[in-house]
Structures are given as C-alpha cells and as structure tokens.
Amino acid sequence: MKPMFHALSGLLLLLPAAAAHAKPADESAGILEHLINNPSPGAMRVEGLREPPPVRSDSGVQGGKALIIAVPGLSKDVWSVQAKSPTTGPVEAGDELVFAVWARLVKSDGAKVADVPYAALQETSEPWTAVVKGEFSVGPDWKLYSFTGKTAKHYAPGDLTISLHLATGKHSIALGPAFVLNMSRTASAK
C-alpha cells in the first residue's frame, strides 16, 4: 500500500509537467518514467456525441486544461457515451498498472453527483476485457480517481485504453489529465 501511496503522491506533484509534456523523458523524474499514455485531456477520444467536446482552460485542475463532456441524457447502454485514452507503451504479464483521472461535475439536472459505473483500463477490441476496473461518483470539486491491477498477459502499445462510461444522466463532466502508469517498468526500460 505504501508504494502505491507514494506513486500517487508523486503523480500529484508531477502532474502539470506530464499533462503538458513539458519535460523530455530523460529529464523526467520518478513517476513519469512509468507513464504509458498521453495524459492530456485533448488526447482523449469521446465516442457517442455528435461533435467532439471542447478542451477549456481550468485553473482548478493540475495541468490547467479540461475536456468538457456534455452527456445528453441517461441511456440503457451507459457505454454509448464514453471517453477513451489508449496506451502508448507495452505491458507484460504480471505488470502492475495504475490508471488515474481527474474529474468533476460541471452541470447536471439537479443531481449533486454523476455516477461513472465503469472506469476501466480495458482491451481495445473484443471481448474488451478490463485489466483494471472500478467505478466512482463525480461531484462538483476536482478529484483524482485512481485504480490499480495486474495484467494477465502481454499487450502491445495501443492494445489497452482507458474507458469511462458516462451516459448515466443529463450532465456535463470535466475530465482533466488521465494517466496510465506501468509501475513494473520505466520508459527507459521499454
């Protein structure tokens, strides 16, 4: 538990640099050496909306940018609106992964929170198996939600993606940086 606490504490401190890709890999320290995706909100792909959601400046979240996703309403298929961020690095069987995403509820039809019943790092093709999975309820304040797990097999870069299922009501959710960390490897070892 302590290594994970330290990893997430380091993530909080280094998030602005990671979100902006401000430092080259050889100058990055600690936690950023484990990064295997592009954490920028603008790099996320949102499915199920007519138009791509805007990225806006938001000084309340580390990195200063947020993707604002206006979900039109509740769907029986909560995956009908989802945000995704693919991996850019390889994963081996037994690797310990962390995925974390900054989120807050911007607007809703009177609800104080919006449920995200499926927050996963999953395969990008059928059967879309989740390697790391959780759920959370997002409120009006920025919060970092994180999940951990171990892989059972090898995945090439791009074979895994963050997937957040958002069609749980009519609301707008802001997503800040989203990270996938391979705690078993560093960028220099790949």
Side-chain angles (χ1 to χ4, degrees), residues 1-12 31 34 95-100 132 144 146-150 181-184:
M1 187 66 158
K2 281 188 179 183
M4 191 57 57
F5 172 77
H6 293 295
L8 291 176
S9 296
L11 178 67
L12 290 172
I31 199 75
H34 299 279
D95 284 356
E96 186 171 344
L97 302 179
V98 175
F99 96 79
V132 179
L144 180 65
S146 63
F147 307 92
T148 63
K150 285 192 176 191
L181 303 168
N182 186 337
M183 301 310 294
S184 300

Coordinates of all heavy atoms in Angstrom, one line a residue, residues 1-12 31 34 95-100 132 144 146-150 181-184:
M1 N 0.8 -1.2 0.0 CA 0.0 0.0 0.0 C 0.9 1.3 0.0 O 0.6 2.2 -0.7 CB -0.9 0.0 1.2 CG -1.9 1.1 1.2 SD -3.1 0.9 -0.1 CE -4.4 1.8 0.5
K2 N 2.0 1.3 0.8 CA 2.8 2.5 0.8 C 3.4 2.8 -0.6 O 3.4 4.0 -0.9 CB 3.9 2.3 1.8 CG 3.4 2.5 3.2 CD 4.6 2.6 4.2 CE 4.0 2.9 5.6 NZ 5.1 3.0 6.6
P3 N 3.9 1.8 -1.3 CA 4.4 2.2 -2.6 C 3.4 2.9 -3.5 O 3.7 3.8 -4.2 CB 4.9 0.9 -3.3 CG 5.2 0.0 -2.1 CD 4.2 0.4 -1.0
M4 N 2.1 2.4 -3.5 CA 1.1 3.0 -4.3 C 0.8 4.4 -3.8 O 0.6 5.3 -4.6 CB -0.2 2.1 -4.2 CG -1.2 2.5 -5.2 SD -0.6 2.5 -7.0 CE 0.0 0.8 -7.1
F5 N 0.8 4.6 -2.5 CA 0.5 5.9 -1.9 C 1.6 6.9 -2.4 O 1.4 8.0 -2.9 CB 0.5 5.9 -0.4 CG 0.5 7.3 0.2 CD1 -0.7 8.0 0.2 CD2 1.6 7.9 0.7 CE1 -0.8 9.3 0.7 CE2 1.6 9.1 1.2 CZ 0.4 9.8 1.3
H6 N 2.9 6.4 -2.4 CA 4.0 7.3 -2.8 C 3.9 7.5 -4.3 O 4.2 8.6 -4.8 CB 5.3 6.6 -2.5 CG 5.6 6.6 -1.0 ND1 5.7 7.8 -0.2 CD2 5.7 5.6 -0.1 CE1 5.9 7.4 1.0 NE2 5.9 6.1 1.1
A7 N 3.5 6.5 -5.1 CA 3.3 6.7 -6.5 C 2.3 7.8 -6.8 O 2.5 8.6 -7.6 CB 2.9 5.4 -7.2
L8 N 1.1 7.7 -6.2 CA 0.1 8.7 -6.4 C 0.5 10.0 -5.9 O 0.1 11.0 -6.5 CB -1.2 8.2 -5.8 CG -1.8 7.0 -6.6 CD1 -3.1 6.5 -5.9 CD2 -2.1 7.3 -8.0
S9 N 1.2 10.1 -4.8 CA 1.7 11.4 -4.3 C 2.6 12.0 -5.3 O 2.5 13.2 -5.6 CB 2.4 11.2 -2.9 OG 1.5 10.7 -1.9
G10 N 3.5 11.2 -5.8 CA 4.4 11.7 -6.9 C 3.6 12.2 -8.1 O 4.0 13.2 -8.7
L11 N 2.6 11.4 -8.4 CA 1.8 11.8 -9.6 C 1.2 13.2 -9.4 O 1.2 14.0 -10.3 CB 0.7 10.7 -9.8 CG -0.3 11.0 -10.9 CD1 0.4 10.9 -12.2 CD2 -1.5 10.0 -10.8
L12 N 0.7 13.4 -8.2 CA 0.1 14.7 -7.9 C 1.1 15.9 -8.1 O 0.8 16.9 -8.6 CB -0.5 14.8 -6.5 CG -1.7 13.9 -6.2 CD1 -2.1 13.9 -4.8 CD2 -2.9 14.4 -7.0
I31 N 7.9 9.2 -11.0 CA 6.6 8.6 -11.5 C 6.4 8.7 -13.0 O 5.9 7.8 -13.7 CB 5.4 9.2 -10.7 CG1 4.2 8.3 -10.8 CG2 5.1 10.6 -11.2 CD1 4.3 7.0 -10.0
H34 N 7.1 6.0 -15.6 CA 6.2 4.8 -15.7 C 5.0 5.1 -16.6 O 4.2 4.3 -16.8 CB 5.7 4.5 -14.3 CG 6.7 4.0 -13.4 ND1 7.3 2.8 -13.4 CD2 7.4 4.7 -12.4 CE1 8.2 2.7 -12.4 NE2 8.3 3.9 -11.8
D95 N 2.5 -7.3 -14.9 CA 2.8 -5.9 -14.6 C 1.7 -5.2 -13.8 O 0.5 -5.5 -14.0 CB 3.0 -5.1 -15.9 CG 4.3 -5.3 -16.7 OD1 5.1 -6.0 -16.1 OD2 4.4 -4.7 -17.8
E96 N 2.1 -4.4 -12.8 CA 1.2 -3.7 -12.0 C 0.9 -2.3 -12.7 O 1.8 -1.5 -12.9 CB 1.7 -3.4 -10.6 CG 0.7 -2.8 -9.7 CD 1.2 -2.8 -8.2 OE1 2.1 -3.5 -7.9 OE2 0.5 -2.0 -7.5
L97 N -0.4 -2.1 -12.9 CA -0.8 -0.9 -13.6 C -1.6 0.0 -12.7 O -2.4 -0.5 -11.8 CB -1.6 -1.2 -14.8 CG -1.0 -2.1 -15.9 CD1 -1.9 -2.4 -17.0 CD2 0.3 -1.5 -16.4
V98 N -1.5 1.3 -12.9 CA -2.4 2.3 -12.2 C -3.0 3.1 -13.3 O -2.3 3.5 -14.3 CB -1.5 3.2 -11.3 CG1 -2.4 4.3 -10.7 CG2 -0.8 2.4 -10.2
F99 N -4.3 3.4 -13.2 CA -4.8 4.4 -14.1 C -5.5 5.4 -13.2 O -6.2 5.0 -12.2 CB -5.6 3.9 -15.3 CG -7.1 3.8 -15.1 CD1 -7.9 4.9 -15.2 CD2 -7.7 2.6 -14.9 CE1 -9.3 4.8 -15.1 CE2 -9.1 2.5 -14.7 CZ -9.9 3.6 -14.9
A100 N -5.4 6.7 -13.5 CA -5.9 7.7 -12.7 C -6.5 8.8 -13.6 O -5.9 9.1 -14.7 CB -4.9 8.3 -11.8
V132 N -8.0 -3.4 -15.4 CA -8.2 -2.7 -14.2 C -9.5 -2.0 -14.3 O -9.9 -1.5 -15.3 CB -7.1 -1.6 -14.0 CG1 -7.3 -0.8 -12.7 CG2 -5.7 -2.1 -14.0
L144 N -9.0 13.4 -8.0 CA -8.2 12.4 -8.7 C -8.8 11.0 -8.3 O -8.7 10.6 -7.1 CB -6.8 12.5 -8.4 CG -5.8 11.5 -9.1 CD1 -5.9 11.7 -10.6 CD2 -4.4 11.6 -8.6
S146 N -8.4 6.9 -8.8 CA -7.3 6.0 -9.3 C -7.7 4.6 -9.0 O -8.4 4.3 -8.1 CB -6.0 6.4 -8.7 OG -6.1 6.2 -7.3
F147 N -7.2 3.7 -9.9 CA -7.5 2.3 -9.8 C -6.2 1.5 -10.1 O -5.4 1.9 -11.0 CB -8.6 1.9 -10.8 CG -9.8 2.8 -10.6 CD1 -9.9 4.0 -11.3 CD2 -10.8 2.4 -9.7 CE1 -11.0 4.8 -11.2 CE2 -11.9 3.3 -9.5 CZ -12.0 4.4 -10.3
T148 N -6.0 0.3 -9.5 CA -4.8 -0.5 -9.7 C -5.2 -1.9 -10.1 O -6.3 -2.4 -9.7 CB -3.9 -0.5 -8.5 OG1 -4.6 -1.1 -7.4 CG2 -3.5 0.9 -8.1
G149 N -4.3 -2.6 -10.7 CA -4.5 -4.0 -11.0 C -3.2 -4.6 -11.7 O -2.3 -3.8 -12.1
K150 N -3.2 -5.9 -11.9 CA -2.1 -6.6 -12.6 C -2.6 -7.2 -13.8 O -3.7 -7.7 -13.9 CB -1.5 -7.7 -11.6 CG -0.7 -7.1 -10.6 CD 0.1 -8.2 -9.9 CE 1.0 -7.5 -8.8 NZ 2.0 -8.5 -8.3
L181 N -0.1 4.3 -15.8 CA 1.3 4.1 -15.3 C 1.5 2.6 -15.2 O 0.7 1.8 -14.7 CB 1.4 4.7 -13.9 CG 1.1 6.2 -13.8 CD1 1.0 6.6 -12.3 CD2 2.2 7.0 -14.5
N182 N 2.7 2.2 -15.7 CA 3.1 0.8 -15.6 C 4.2 0.8 -14.5 O 5.3 1.2 -14.7 CB 3.7 0.3 -16.9 CG 4.0 -1.2 -16.8 OD1 4.2 -1.8 -15.7 ND2 4.1 -1.9 -17.9
M183 N 3.7 0.4 -13.3 CA 4.6 0.5 -12.1 C 5.7 -0.6 -12.1 O 6.7 -0.5 -11.3 CB 3.8 0.4 -10.8 CG 2.8 1.6 -10.7 SD 3.4 3.2 -11.0 CE 4.5 3.4 -9.6
S184 N 5.6 -1.5 -13.0 CA 6.6 -2.6 -13.1 C 7.7 -2.3 -14.1 O 8.7 -3.0 -14.2 CB 5.9 -3.9 -13.5 OG 4.9 -4.3 -12.6

